[in-house]
Amino acid sequence: MQNLDLSQGGAQVGQWRQLIDLLAQNPRDFDGELVARGLVNAHMLSQKILPEERLAGVKALAGRIRSAPLIQLLAGDAPEIAAAAIYGADLSDTEWSELVPELPVRARGFLRNRSDLGFKTKRALETWAGADFRIHGTVEPAVAAPQVKAPSGEIGAIVRRIEQWRKDRESGDSPRLPLGDEFADHEVDKPNEINFETDDNGTIVWVQGVPRGAIVGVDIAQAAYDDGPGPDAYGAAAFRQRMPLENARMRLRGSPAVDGHWRVNAAPFFDQLTGRFRGYRGILRRPTISEMPEAGAAHDEQRRLQGESMQQVVHELRTPLGAIAGFAEIIEQQLFGPVSDEYRQLASAILADAHRLLAGFEDLSVAARLDAGNFEVEEGVTECRWLANRLAERLHAISEDNHINLNLAIADPVRPYAIDRSLAERIFSRLLSAVIMGCSEGESLNGRFRTEPGVSATNLFQLELPTRLKKCSDAQLFGTDPSESELETNPDIASPLLGLGFSLRLVRNLARKAGGDLRFQKESLILKIPAVQDGDMDYSDTGGD
């Protein structure tokens, strides 16, 4: 270890990996000074190696790192490398407990999430919890960590600390934390929800609902690997892009109160004065049975069978209804001979009701296909102006019957939608027709199309809700909370055939299938749909037509 050539750039990765492999073995006959020198060389080499290569080298040693000094060195590296070292170490309970005071705060956070910690290590971590989890002010740990005066240089400090650590262990005089000799297992409450907050690096620094030591220190910015804690790739990517996390998968380790799988719903927050990103706030919740990984296959099969059953029911209802509509049309148009005006009016009413029922059956069929996971979104492009004209034409009758003024404005310019025309027409017509039924007679319904520029441009459609719907909650509009079903039972508010909540949920699911979403925000519904990415354009929201 003392004769490494640090000048060979092409061999530096191999030298570093061989060196940490030797150090990880921790042979009994290693000289303390030689180990310290090897750690110095490893540290110097690591400065010339990419983090990805260092991470790969540490992960290759998973389960074989038996050197506490090497763990101490790696624990000061990048978060993902420190985590790989902590999770891949194979130390005894005594070794871990003696190493706890020497670890950085973040590394102690990773250690807390190991599921195989012994009694002494747990007690050591509990002793340092007061110092690790402070956010403001200064909190001294219950027992001070052993202090070693080190040279000003970082490498010299590492050498001196390792030498002192070795001497203390060999002499048996190293400071001992008040660990006790017995550990009693207690029943722990397992919460279903945990409120949390992270710093701007993604590290959880505040929790509510569980003891702080259970998850403080967990990183939501790096995807979990092997069996360690952390979010899935979607959650980590959302953090990097400062996007909201919606039902991202999360795995926690360590404390029995939190160990297992979770779902994350969180949003970024920013400094009100400077606009600087401060971190994420959100909720961890336990997944439902259908969301559990082991139940996924069975649940998917159940959804598929339910979807097929619903589609069969819709088919059996639609067939005779189609025949009724056909006969009503024959009578209305007098195709078989003259018919009195009275019969023609009855046939016209029957035909209108049949078409309304058929549209409802089609919605049921689409909802069943979405739920079963077999609804495919076809590629296509829809011009916004064509869509607005088509909607005005299609919804003219229902607007006239309800005496509603439908106003659709288009910002100039606006990009085309990145979905095919049939899907675009279905989404917007279902949304507008459902909301029209909630308008008062003579009321105006205003909608506006515009493009939100960015890395992935999105078209936004803002629909101002009518007066009778503005005071409704999100749960009332979408019908997601049975305790808030006043909207469906209120006789003053008309609703579509299958209910306003069903129609809005259908629109939202179709939008999400296409890569967008539907949200209730400030007395308006905001429909987001991906726009065509066709180069830079000068977008302004200065008017409409």
Side-chain angles (χ1 to χ4, degrees):
M1 287 187 287
Q2 64 265 46
N3 296 319
L4 287 174
D5 180 8
L6 303 180
S7 65
Q8 301 296 322
Q12 288 171 351
V13 175
Q15 291 174 350
W16 181 79
R17 295 189 68 160
Q18 292 175 10
L19 186 53
I20 64 169
D21 196 350
L22 285 172
L23 291 168
Q25 298 173 27
N26 197 28
R28 296 295 179 184
D29 57 351
F30 264 17
D31 180 78
E33 183 178 352
L34 186 60
V35 171
R37 191 174 303 166
L39 291 169
V40 172
N41 288 338
H43 180 77
M44 295 175 64
L45 280 170
S46 68
Q47 306 304 306
K48 305 178 182 180
I49 300 174
L50 294 176
E52 294 81 3
E53 295 170 335
R54 301 203 303 274
L55 177 60
V58 175
K59 292 178 70 174
L61 297 175
R64 297 191 292 116
I65 306 178
R66 300 181 178 87
S67 169
L70 179 61
I71 292 297
Q72 184 176 348
L73 175 66
L74 296 175
D77 208 322
E80 60 272 20
I81 298 171
I86 294 294
Y87 300 139
D90 181 18
L91 302 183
S92 67
D93 188 22
T94 299
E95 288 175 315
W96 273 126
S97 65
E98 294 174 350
L99 187 59
V100 164
E102 305 297 333
L103 292 176
V105 174
R106 184 189 292 268
R108 283 199 288 266
F110 294 137
L111 181 59
R112 285 184 175 89
N113 287 281
R114 283 189 57 138
S115 58
D116 59 348
L117 298 180
F119 162 71
K120 294 181 179 180
T121 307
K122 291 179 179 179
R123 288 293 302 274
L125 289 171
E126 289 175 2
T127 302
W128 280 83
D132 290 349
F133 302 145
R134 69 179 185 271
I135 298 178
H136 301 289
T138 302
V139 180
E140 296 295 335
V143 177
Q147 299 296 319
V148 179
K149 292 184 179 180
S152 58
E154 182 181 3
I155 302 304
I158 293 176
V159 174
R160 186 65 62 87
R161 289 166 71 91
I162 295 302
E163 290 177 349
Q164 184 66 42
W165 190 87
R166 284 285 192 185
K167 292 178 182 178
D168 290 342
R169 286 210 62 195
E170 292 172 359
S171 66
D173 296 331
S174 56
R176 290 293 189 268
L177 299 175
L179 301 178
D181 299 322
E182 297 181 357
F183 178 77
D185 291 327
H186 300 284
E187 292 294 329
V188 295
D189 294 330
K190 295 186 176 182
N192 293 319
E193 285 189 358
I194 303 172
N195 297 313
F196 73 93
E197 181 178 315
T198 77
D199 61 13
D200 55 0
N201 292 317
T203 303
I204 295 178
V205 296
W206 174 86
V207 294
Q208 183 181 53
V210 292
R212 293 186 303 172
I215 64 172
V216 167
V218 173
D219 196 340
I220 72 168
Q222 297 291 333
Y225 49 84
D226 297 334
D227 197 39
D232 59 5
Y234 154 70
F239 179 90
R240 291 193 298 270
Q241 299 174 18
R242 306 296 187 254
M243 298 290 289
L245 278 71
E246 296 186 359
N247 293 322
R249 291 179 174 85
M250 183 82 176
R251 185 172 58 206
L252 297 178
R253 287 289 181 257
S255 170
V258 301
D259 192 276
H261 294 277
W262 294 77
R263 292 293 183 271
V264 185
N265 289 278
F269 67 97
F270 303 84
D271 189 283
Q272 294 182 353
L273 296 178
T274 64
R276 179 178 175 271
F277 171 68
R278 297 293 302 276
Y280 272 70
R281 292 177 179 141
I283 296 176
L284 287 163
R285 65 171 180 85
R286 294 192 185 275
T288 61
I289 294 178
S290 62
E291 292 174 323
M292 293 297 292
E294 59 272 15
H299 179 66
D300 290 344
E301 178 64 15
Q302 182 181 11
R303 288 180 59 186
R304 186 186 66 80
L305 293 175
Q306 290 177 343
E308 291 180 354
S309 176
M310 177 59 71
Q311 291 184 57
Q312 181 63 30
V313 171
V314 170
H315 174 73
E316 293 177 357
L317 292 173
R318 189 162 43 191
T319 301
L321 186 59
I324 294 173
F327 282 113
E329 188 172 5
I330 289 173
I331 295 173
E332 183 199 28
Q333 297 183 9
Q334 303 182 87
L335 297 179
F336 290 168
V339 179
S340 67
D341 290 342
E342 182 180 358
Y343 278 108
R344 289 184 63 190
Q345 291 176 2
L346 288 173
S348 179
I350 292 172
L351 183 61
D353 289 341
H355 285 162
R356 186 163 174 254
L357 287 170
L358 286 171
F361 290 160
E362 180 65 20
D363 286 348
L364 280 174
S365 179
V366 171
R369 290 163 59 195
L370 283 168
D371 193 55
N374 58 11
F375 183 89
E376 298 297 332
V377 176
E378 298 182 3
E379 295 182 358
V381 175
T382 301
E383 293 290 341
C384 189
R385 194 170 301 279
W386 174 89
L387 178 61
N389 293 334
R390 177 60 178 160
L391 291 172
E393 176 185 348
R394 179 167 181 172
L395 299 173
H396 176 74
I398 186 174
S399 300
E400 288 290 324
D401 291 344
N402 291 275
H403 304 285
I404 303 301
N405 298 317
L406 179 60
N407 301 315
L408 301 179
I410 304 176
D412 185 24
V414 64
R415 287 189 178 186
Y417 285 93
I419 55 177
D420 72 294
R421 287 187 170 188
S422 61
L423 179 58
E425 186 177 350
R426 178 185 296 276
I427 290 175
F428 281 89
S429 63
R430 292 298 186 273
L431 172 63
L432 288 169
S433 61
V435 177
I436 284 174
M437 299 302 293
C439 293
S440 302
E441 185 174 340
E443 193 169 7
S444 294
L445 186 62
N446 301 313
R448 185 177 184 82
F449 298 89
R450 66 182 178 89
T451 295
E452 186 177 68
V455 177
S456 298
T458 302
N459 279 352
L460 299 183
F461 177 70
Q462 181 173 356
L463 181 63
E464 297 180 8
L465 289 174
T467 304
R468 290 188 292 185
L469 299 183
K470 285 183 177 180
K471 296 181 180 180
C472 295
S473 65
D474 184 277
Q476 287 176 316
L477 283 175
F478 287 90
T480 56
D481 189 348
S483 65
E484 299 190 17
S485 57
E486 302 171 9
L487 186 61
E488 301 298 335
T489 59
N490 190 338
D492 294 332
I493 300 179
S495 62
L497 175 65
L498 298 174
L500 178 65
F502 174 87
S503 298
L504 295 183
R505 291 196 304 273
L506 176 63
V507 171
R508 182 173 60 187
N509 291 338
L510 286 171
R512 289 178 175 176
K513 188 70 175 179
D517 201 1
L518 175 66
R519 292 182 177 276
F520 173 53
Q521 179 179 332
K522 295 182 179 179
E523 300 183 344
S524 296
L525 288 172
I526 308 296
L527 178 60
K528 295 184 178 182
I529 301 291
V532 172
Q533 311 299 312
D534 56 357
D536 295 331
M537 295 178 64
D538 182 19
Y539 289 97
S540 61
D541 193 5
T542 58
D545 54 6

